[in-house]
Amino acid sequence: MGEERPSGRRGRTLRDPVPRAARADDQVDIDSVLRAHRAGYPKPKMGPVRRAYDAAELAHRGQVRKSGEPYIIHPLAVTLILAELGMDTATLQAALLHDTVEDTSYTLPELRADFGDEIAVLVDGVTKLDGSKWGERAEAETFRKMVLAAAADLRVLLIKLADRLHNLRTLGFQPPHKQQRIARQSQELLIPFAERLGMYELKREMDDLCFSVLQPDAHDAIKSALDAREAGGRALLQPAVRRLRDALKDQRVAGEVMLYRRHLWAVHLDVGDRLDTLQPADLFRLLVLVDGEDRDCYIALGAVHACMNPVPGRLKDFISLPRFNLYRALHTRVIADGRKVMDVIIRTRRMHRTAERGLAAHIHEMARGPGADVAGRIDLEWLRRLLAWQNDATSADFLESLRGDLRPDGIAAFTTEGEVIPLPPGATSIDFAYALGPEIGDHAIGALINGRLVPLHARVDDGAVVHILTAETASPSADGLVAATTPTARLLIRRHLAAQRADDAADKGRRLVAEAVAAEGLELLDLECQGVSGSVAERLGHRELDDLYAAVAAGVVDLDTLVKSLVTENSRSSGSEEDT
């Protein structure tokens, strides 16, 4: 699903007979993909990956990127990103083939026949819809299609993220307006997806690449400032590193203590243009990687607090209560030498792999396991809820809600069963209710937050435990629309209120029609049962009687004219029955 469309002819199909020896560029860069794949698996399947490369190279033959390189370089680069993340053979095959259906004459049925259903589903999931057919709706409907495909197989999202990462890396070859559009779309939708999947390794690079396009001056300024301060900052923080290493040794905790530099966008969000205030602790986090189990992280935490003064209220335990994106770690803030405030993160090495690569790390473990079903769904609750109601949302509504649901600056609230519900800051009880699903939100009447009874407009704080109270007879109201802050909740309430208004209008219109036909000596119910009303409604362009009655209430359909039509149609129908 590359943003850059290849130039040149649309390539050959797999069925064109091209001798292997005639392919001068065959296997030039596929070896790096195979090496990366071999590094992640004890017995990797090289043959299927090479066969997918051969197919992709043949299909894209003659196409070039704006850089002038052969187009096959793009799917190879995307596949290398995924191979280095430890993705399985099927994902690498699909990544190599991911643009063939969209940009060449190779069709999805042909691909399915050559590579099977699993690969075809992955490729189809990231294939963009035809803009000439979908028009302005193409972007939203493409994302809807991708999200629906991800419901069956989350690897679709991983391929899309790798695809976008490579496009961002090569964005300099695009015209400025397209650079801006792609970078902005990435910030709004793709980067939040990366965070939701726990793939911080990709997220950080994508953050900085978008930053360089959307705010080039700020990007260059902060990069220069960080580069200039890095060596001095490391030197100033080394005493704290040594002290913590000694503290861990005293507690007999095996592990590694290191400084890692924060990425540019994260520092920019913290300090903005106040570069003169940059401190070493703004540049670095202190990372403790424990060689052990979960309990050893808590021992390490004790060692940290024993040798450095903890800042009250700044401890976050994502081990006992993991984040919704699979992330697990202990976070604490301490005051070290010279009153330097530092953030410390404590993880096991396994937690660290997941923290960096998220879903990809889990899929890698599944693929290495005996008899594992890699395509098996890892149930991410936020994605399930995203899909629960949005199938019938309009394109504009879908994108608005998707952006809202994926906002990165969120909080985490909990159900009474301990399930994590991600919400934006400032969210209310009604937002929480609709995050659980329309069937809860539509019937919500109140909430218990941390055991205290509150109204639906009450704010939900980070870490709160929320229980929604419902009643079968309750329904959304205009007050609920005022209380709601999330796009999803507001959209569903507006939809319900609009339907209610339509029902009210239909009832009003039906009463008007019933009174008018009664004056003509007729019963509206009889006309409806005999099909008279339905025939007239269809002739007037209304599929449903309720639509016709609502049009009468709105004055769109003239009541007197409609009654004459009903009387005439009834007479015609009665005459036909008598003839019979």
Side-chain angles (χ1 to χ4, degrees):
M1 188 178 172
E3 286 292 338
E4 177 174 318
R5 300 274 62 80
S7 58
R9 56 191 175 82
R10 284 177 61 85
R12 298 182 176 90
T13 70
L14 267 184
R15 288 156 179 78
D16 289 335
V18 178
R20 185 178 181 85
R23 306 177 199 172
D25 57 344
D26 192 12
Q27 303 182 37
V28 171
D29 292 312
I30 186 63
D31 289 339
S32 58
V33 171
L34 297 176
R35 281 194 299 271
H37 191 35
R38 188 180 296 112
Y41 294 89
K43 295 180 181 179
K45 299 176 182 178
M46 300 299 189
V49 178
R50 193 178 294 278
R51 189 164 72 89
Y53 167 73
D54 289 342
E57 190 280 328
L58 179 57
H60 288 295
R61 183 83 57 83
Q63 297 176 338
V64 295
R65 286 168 63 80
K66 284 189 167 55
S67 63
E69 297 173 311
Y71 192 79
I72 190 63
I73 295 298
H74 171 66
L76 273 170
V78 171
T79 309
L80 182 59
I81 291 169
L82 293 166
E84 290 174 342
L85 289 172
M87 294 305 297
D88 60 294
T89 301
T91 305
L92 303 190
Q93 288 180 276
L96 286 164
L97 296 161
H98 80 275
D99 271 340
T100 55
V101 173
E102 185 177 328
D103 293 326
T104 80
S105 54
Y106 191 38
T107 66
L108 190 63
E110 288 174 327
L111 187 148
R112 180 176 285 106
D114 291 326
F115 292 96
D117 288 339
E118 182 181 13
I119 310 303
V121 167
L122 293 173
V123 172
D124 185 44
V126 294
T127 298
K128 286 175 65 176
L129 295 172
D130 189 345
S132 63
K133 295 180 180 178
W134 289 85
E136 294 181 354
R137 297 166 54 209
E139 178 189 6
E141 293 305 318
T142 293
F143 270 99
R144 192 204 305 266
K145 175 172 172 277
M146 180 185 69
V147 171
L148 289 171
D153 196 326
L154 285 165
R155 290 176 295 178
V156 168
L157 289 176
L158 301 190
I159 296 171
K160 176 57 188 173
L161 288 172
D163 172 71
R164 180 54 59 91
L165 174 58
H166 184 249
N167 279 322
L168 288 172
R169 287 174 177 175
T170 57
L171 209 52
F173 295 102
Q174 297 284 0
H177 73 279
K178 197 166 185 179
Q179 292 183 30
Q180 292 278 323
R181 178 180 64 80
I182 294 172
R184 191 169 293 109
Q185 183 197 65
S186 299
Q187 271 195 341
E188 291 178 353
L189 291 172
L190 274 302
I191 292 175
F193 261 125
E195 182 169 7
R196 283 297 181 94
L197 297 175
M199 303 187 65
Y200 287 96
E201 189 174 300
L202 264 65
K203 176 190 179 298
R204 288 193 294 268
E205 184 177 354
M206 293 171 75
D207 271 336
D208 287 351
L209 288 168
C210 291
F211 183 26
S212 69
V213 170
L214 297 174
Q215 301 181 54
D217 293 340
H219 172 275
D220 293 347
I222 205 158
K223 184 177 186 306
S224 297
L226 264 61
D227 288 345
R229 290 167 170 80
E230 179 169 6
R234 286 187 182 277
L236 285 172
L237 296 177
Q238 279 306 312
V241 172
R242 287 192 294 269
R243 182 188 300 180
L244 183 50
R245 286 173 181 163
D246 291 340
L248 292 176
K249 190 178 298 182
D250 291 341
Q251 296 296 325
R252 298 181 180 179
V253 175
E256 186 177 0
V257 181
M258 66 184 75
L259 294 171
Y260 78 89
R261 182 171 142 174
R262 302 175 68 205
H263 66 296
L264 303 180
W265 178 244
V267 177
H268 173 72
L269 290 178
D270 281 352
V271 303
D273 58 359
R274 302 185 307 277
L275 300 181
D276 56 323
T277 67
L278 271 176
Q279 299 297 318
D282 295 320
L283 278 65
F284 298 99
R285 293 289 183 262
L286 194 63
L287 178 62
V288 180
L289 294 182
V290 174
D291 296 327
E293 303 300 325
D294 294 3
R295 63 178 180 273
D296 296 304
C297 291
Y298 293 98
I299 298 173
L301 176 66
V304 171
H305 287 175
C307 69
M308 302 175 187
N309 296 322
V311 176
R314 297 310 299 258
L315 172 63
K316 295 184 179 180
D317 185 350
F318 297 120
I319 294 179
S320 59
L321 290 173
R323 297 187 68 190
F324 49 83
N325 61 2
L326 312 174
Y327 180 87
R328 301 176 73 224
L330 297 175
H331 288 211
T332 187
R333 178 166 288 183
V334 298
I335 300 174
D337 304 308
R339 296 186 177 180
K340 292 189 290 287
V341 177
M342 295 190 62
D343 288 315
V344 182
I345 300 172
I346 304 169
R347 309 167 179 154
T348 65
R349 294 191 183 274
R350 182 174 181 177
M351 291 176 194
H352 184 61
R353 286 192 296 273
T354 302
E356 292 294 293
R357 299 183 173 183
L359 181 65
H362 280 256
I363 291 177
H364 182 230
E365 288 187 14
M366 291 165 62
R368 288 172 62 97
D373 176 15
V374 180
R377 174 106 179 266
I378 298 175
D379 186 18
L380 297 182
E381 192 65 24
W382 61 267
L383 182 61
R384 184 184 66 77
R385 291 204 181 89
L386 182 66
L387 296 167
W389 63 271
Q390 299 217 24
N391 290 352
D392 59 345
T394 66
S395 299
D397 286 345
F398 177 79
L399 270 190
E400 178 192 0
S401 183
L402 188 60
R403 291 187 182 101
D405 287 340
L406 293 174
R407 278 181 58 183
D409 56 341
I411 63 172
F414 300 87
T415 66
T416 51
E417 291 77 27
E419 186 181 336
V420 182
I421 306 298
L423 293 168
T428 62
S429 300
I430 192 66
D431 295 316
F432 186 97
Y434 276 105
L436 296 177
E439 67 284 356
I440 303 295
D442 285 348
H443 300 290
I445 58 173
L448 294 172
I449 296 183
N450 297 328
R452 185 169 61 88
L453 182 64
V454 297
L456 290 174
H457 64 259
R459 179 171 173 169
V460 176
D461 293 326
D462 193 22
V465 177
V466 183
H467 175 67
I468 300 297
L469 305 174
T470 61
E472 195 62 35
T473 56
S475 61
S477 67
D479 290 340
L481 186 60
V482 173
T485 66
T486 61
T488 298
R490 293 182 61 81
L491 180 61
L492 290 172
I493 294 172
R494 283 200 303 266
R495 181 185 296 177
H496 185 95
L497 294 177
Q500 185 61 53
R501 286 193 295 270
D503 290 343
D504 293 344
D507 289 342
K508 178 182 177 182
R510 189 180 185 281
R511 286 195 300 272
L512 292 172
V513 175
E515 292 170 0
V517 297
E520 300 292 333
L522 298 172
E523 287 288 340
L524 181 58
L525 182 59
D526 292 339
L527 297 179
E528 291 173 344
C529 292
Q530 294 165 11
V532 172
S533 299
S535 298
V536 173
E538 187 174 345
R539 193 159 60 243
L540 294 175
H542 297 280
R543 291 185 178 181
E544 303 290 340
L545 285 175
D546 279 352
D547 295 339
L548 173 63
Y549 297 147
V552 170
V556 176
V557 172
D558 181 71
L559 180 60
D560 292 337
T561 302
L562 174 60
V563 170
K564 290 177 183 178
S565 297
L566 289 171
V567 170
T568 301
E569 180 68 21
N570 182 62
S571 298
R572 185 183 299 117
S573 175
S574 299
S576 299
E577 290 177 4
E578 290 174 4
D579 291 341
T580 302

